[in-house]
Amino acid sequence: MDCSQFKSDLSAFREGTQPAEMHDLCEQHLSSCRACSRLVSEFDKVDMLIEQVKAAEPNPFAATRILQRLENEVDTPQKRYPVVWVRVLRPAAIAVALLCGILIGSYTAKNDAAPLNQVINTTGNIDFLRSNLFISEFADEDKILVINN
Amino acid sequence: MTDQELIEGILRRDRKAFQYLVNNYQKQVIKTACYFVGNMEDAEDLSQEIFLDIIHSMDSFKKSSSLSTWIYRITVNKSLNMVKRHKRRGMMLRIESLFKTPDGRETGMTPEPHVSPADFEHKEKCELLQAAIGRLPENQRIAFVLNKFDDQTYKQIAEIMKIGLPAVESLIHRAKANMQKHLIIHFSEYQKK
Ligand SMILES: [Zn+2]
């Protein structure tokens, strides 16, 4: 047996899955070849390393940290807004709310002496309020959808 | 608590179910993640995302596999995604932090001024192992890591990867051959030096 034959049979040799005759030939080669002996010992070291990796244990506080994160994000879910909400709908909602404020302000200024209930009962204002409410309802739905995903 | 009770508890957002889930699966999740991402710190951070994912997607859990198998599947997917993200950003995974030197000290990333030849050899082996595993095609890597590091049987790996037994056997056989080829080339070059 030469070195290349030994190398091609190395895996079976180390796992002990060769026929007995073949195993003996490998043993014979090993006893006379320093290079292949070193190769086997390097592979043994790699195996030892894998055993060390397997023995590594997680930090004992890892479980506490995971639970803390679950309690923070599942019980009181952190709202993760979608990009479309952050970039488009939120500024639009703010703009509409501001517009409502300005219009209500200018309307009440015109009806300076009118009592408050009269102002709120005005159809136009209710529409503004509704449109504002629609936006916040839509926004809530949007958030819930994202969380459920 | 049976798997069924645990699943129902999680769907109700019951804290006791969360506790049971974490206590029973955190070691499995963190260790498996660690074998893929290469270090315990990242694996522990990632495990939080994995448990959040388990809870949020519990309602889509089809009981065609066991809960443990499903959790393995999520862990492997999330871990591989993290590895890909790191690769895209050109970040190095720190596999050495996993290992201790033969005398029990942890090997650091930065070389100490008094690094012994044994420490150096150990660090070199860590990098070599990481490189050899990292070079495996993804499916071979999954099957190899689950088998060699996680001690999963071929049947369990077949369930986790949703493939047949012969496919698992073939993946592991090829992974071992590739690993061996890579290591032999390295050790042969090392011997020439
Ligand atoms: Zn030889």
Side-chain angles (χ1 to χ4, degrees), chain A residues 2-3 6 29 33 35-36:
Chain A
D2 61 15
C3 291
F6 178 82
H29 178 78
C33 179
C36 287

Side-chain angles (χ1 to χ4, degrees), chain A residues 1-4 6-7 29-30 32-37:
Chain A
M1 176 177 274
D2 61 15
C3 291
S4 67
F6 178 82
K7 282 175 189 170
H29 178 78
L30 268 187
S32 60
C33 179
R34 249 184 91 197
C36 287
S37 295

Side-chain angles (χ1 to χ4, degrees), chain A residues 32-51:
Chain A
S32 60
C33 179
R34 249 184 91 197
C36 287
S37 295
R38 279 182 68 177
L39 194 64
V40 171
S41 101
E42 295 290 355
F43 270 90
D44 288 344
K45 285 180 194 163
V46 170
D47 274 358
M48 272 163 58
L49 202 57
I50 292 176
E51 289 309 313

Side-chain angles (χ1 to χ4, degrees), chain B residues 12 18 26 39 92 133 135 139 147:
Chain B
R12 283 198 310 275
F18 290 176
Q26 57 112 2
N39 72 86
M92 268 293 289
I133 295 172
R135 285 167 81 124
N139 280 344
N147 178 247

Side-chain angles (χ1 to χ4, degrees), chain B residues 152-163:
Chain B
Q152 294 291 298
T153 63
Y154 285 17
K155 188 170 175 283
Q156 286 167 321
I157 295 168
E159 282 164 11
I160 293 166
M161 296 182 75
K162 291 185 179 174
I163 54 177

